[in-house]
Amino acid sequence: MRMRPTLSWTPAEDLPPGTTDLEPVADALGTGGVLVLSGAGLSTESGIPDYRGEGGSLSRHTPMTYQDFVGGAQARRRYWARSHLGWRTFGRALPNAGHRAVAAFERHGLLSGVITQNVDGLHQAAGSEDVVELHGALDRVVCLSCGARSARRELARRLEEANPGFEPVAAGINPDGDADLTDDQVAGFRVVPCTVCGGILKPDVVFFGETVPPQRVEHCRELVRAASSLLVLGSSLTVMSGLRFVRQAAQAGKPVLIVNRDPTRGDRHALTRVALPLGTALTTVADRLGIAVDRQAPPSP
C-alpha cells in the first residue's frame, strides 16, 4: 500500500509556550555564526500562504506527491495546469521585511549560511547569497528522462502557446505555486515535453514523498556542524527534512532559537520560541543591533 507523506502533527501538551522576548535572538546574532533555517511562514508576508499556519493551505489542499506525479499523465496534467496558473502570481512575489532582514544580517557577517525549505527564491531576491535551497526552486524545470534543466519562464512561454485562452479563476494559491482549480477547469490542458529528449518535465523541487538529494543533506549537516547556533524562521518543522537539523544542533549542544507564531515540532529542542510575526521580529532585532534593513528588494538582474 502506498504511504502518504507526513503532512501534520499534533502538538504535545508539554511543549514550552511561545514568548515575545527577542533578546535571545539578538544575543545569538550579535555573537555571529548563526545558521538560518527558513520555512513557508517567512514568505506569508510576501503573499505566499504557508501550509500549516492559520488558514494554511493544507486545510483545503493536499500537495502533489512525487509518486502521484510520476504515476500518471492525468496527475501531471492537473499539476501543470494548476502550477502554470499559480506561477503567474507566485513568480511576481517580492521579498518582505523578514527576507531583507536576513540579507542584512548576512551582509554584516552575522550568519554562517541560510538553509531554506522554501522554493520561491525570495531570499536571493532580497540579496542573500549563501543560500541552500533544501527543496529546490520553482523557477527551474528538470527532465525526468535526460536530466536537462531549463528556466521556468521558458516553460511558461511554451505552455501559454500550447494553451491559448487558458484563464480559469483559482480559489487560491499554495506555497508550492499550485493554484486551486477543479477537474473541469484543468480538463483539456496540454502538457509539453522536454525539448531535448521528449521526456517528462517536472519542476526542480522536492515533492512530498520525494527524497532530498543525499549530498545536499550532507552539505546542510556540515553547515550545522560549523554554526554557533541555529535560528529557525517560519517553519513548523513538521517534516523530517528540516527537523533533523534542529535535532542535530541540539544534540551537539548548539542553541536552537525559533521564531514562529505557532508551536513547532522542534520546540522541545529550542532555547526559545518567539511567537511574533517574522517581519516585525527580525526588523526589531536588526534595530537593536544597529543594522539597517533595506526598505525595498534590490531590482532583479
Side-chain angles (χ1 to χ4, degrees), residues 22-46:
L22 287 165
E23 284 305 311
V25 177
D27 289 345
L29 284 164
T31 300
V34 176
L35 176 62
V36 166
L37 172 63
S38 68
L42 185 61
S43 294
T44 56
E45 293 174 41
S46 294

Side-chain angles (χ1 to χ4, degrees), residues 64-67 69-70 76 79-80 135-138 140-145 148-150 152 155 191-192 194 199-208 210-211:
M64 174 66 67
T65 67
Y66 180 77
Q67 293 78 12
F69 186 86
V70 300
R76 291 191 292 274
Y79 173 82
W80 278 120
H135 295 155
L138 207 61
R140 300 189 301 267
V141 180
V142 62
C143 175
L144 295 180
S145 297
R149 283 177 166 78
S150 56
R152 178 62 180 267
L155 175 63
V191 177
V192 297
C194 173
I200 294 171
L201 294 177
K202 172 184 173 292
D204 195 10
V205 300
V206 178
F207 280 178
F208 282 89
E210 190 176 3
T211 302

Side-chain angles (χ1 to χ4, degrees), residues 4-264:
R4 305 298 290 182
T6 299
L7 299 178
S8 63
W9 67 286
T10 302
E13 294 182 359
D14 61 346
L15 286 179
T19 179
T20 58
D21 182 11
L22 287 165
E23 284 305 311
V25 177
D27 289 345
L29 284 164
T31 300
V34 176
L35 176 62
V36 166
L37 172 63
S38 68
L42 185 61
S43 294
T44 56
E45 293 174 41
S46 294
I48 299 174
D50 64 9
Y51 283 113
R52 301 173 180 86
E54 183 177 353
S57 68
L58 286 183
S59 63
R60 65 177 192 279
H61 164 77
T62 299
M64 174 66 67
T65 67
Y66 180 77
Q67 293 78 12
D68 287 340
F69 186 86
V70 300
Q74 179 57 34
R76 291 191 292 274
R77 177 181 296 108
R78 183 172 65 252
Y79 173 82
W80 278 120
R82 293 159 60 124
S83 185
H84 177 55
L85 181 64
W87 175 251
R88 297 173 183 173
T89 299
F90 194 91
R92 292 194 297 266
L94 296 175
N96 62 54
H99 298 109
R100 298 195 298 272
V102 171
F105 297 147
E106 182 184 83
R107 286 197 302 272
H108 282 76
L110 305 184
L111 304 185
S112 62
V114 176
I115 302 170
T116 184
Q117 296 173 282
N118 299 337
V119 297
D120 51 37
L122 292 180
H123 275 298
Q124 295 92 324
S128 292
E129 297 181 356
D130 189 9
V131 181
V132 178
E133 295 172 317
L134 186 63
H135 295 155
L138 207 61
D139 64 355
R140 300 189 301 267
V141 180
V142 62
C143 175
L144 295 180
S145 297
C146 70
R149 283 177 166 78
S150 56
R152 178 62 180 267
R153 63 178 178 274
E154 173 61 19
L155 175 63
R157 182 191 64 79
R158 294 177 62 208
L159 289 173
E160 291 282 358
E161 293 177 353
N163 298 277
F166 182 72
E167 297 286 347
V169 177
I173 304 296
N174 302 303
D176 53 5
D178 190 11
D180 290 328
L181 297 176
T182 66
D183 289 343
D184 287 342
Q185 288 175 305
V186 305
F189 186 85
R190 292 184 59 200
V191 177
V192 297
C194 173
T195 57
V196 177
C197 72
I200 294 171
L201 294 177
K202 172 184 173 292
D204 195 10
V205 300
V206 178
F207 280 178
F208 282 89
E210 190 176 3
T211 302
V212 178
Q215 65 273 21
R216 194 179 302 167
V217 174
E218 181 53 32
H219 177 46
C220 292
R221 289 196 179 280
E222 291 175 358
L223 291 175
V224 175
R225 286 191 285 268
S228 298
S229 59
L230 180 65
L231 176 59
V232 180
L233 303 176
S235 176
S236 67
L237 300 169
T238 295
V239 296
M240 188 55 65
S241 64
L243 180 62
R244 58 185 153 196
F245 303 125
V246 169
R247 291 179 173 175
Q248 178 188 349
Q251 289 168 1
K254 300 175 187 288
V256 175
L257 307 102
I258 299 175
V259 184
N260 197 68
R261 297 183 74 169
D262 299 316
T264 83

